[in-house]
Amino acid sequence: MKLLGTILMIAGILGTIVFGIRALENSESFNLLGLEVAVSSANWTPVIISVIVLVVGLLLRRR
């Protein structure tokens, strides 16, 4: 179980980083009353799934 947990944890970390960077790059910014406002049009579902995989991997490693 610890090996599976380690694999899931590494996959979750990599997925969170890759999909997180893609989601952050997929945003548009504009000025509103002198402030720069960024609006994200990204799909955050892969990031959320990657974080869930990371948490499951951490839980399996603790057993």
Side-chain angles (χ1 to χ4, degrees), residues 32-48:
L32 178 67
L33 301 173
L35 297 173
E36 188 167 333
V37 179
V39 178
S40 176
S41 60
N43 182 9
W44 289 94
T45 305
V47 178
I48 295 169

Side-chain angles (χ1 to χ4, degrees), residues 1 3-4 6 12 14 18 23-24 27 32 34 44-45 48 53 59:
M1 286 303 248
L3 178 62
L4 178 62
T6 302
L14 292 175
V18 169
L24 290 175
S27 64
L32 178 67
W44 289 94
T45 305
I48 295 169
V53 169
L59 292 175

Side-chain angles (χ1 to χ4, degrees), residues 47-63:
V47 178
I48 295 169
I49 292 172
S50 296
V51 170
I52 291 171
V53 169
L54 172 62
V55 170
V56 169
L58 287 172
L59 292 175
L60 286 176
R61 282 204 58 194
R62 290 188 131 216
R63 286 186 165 191

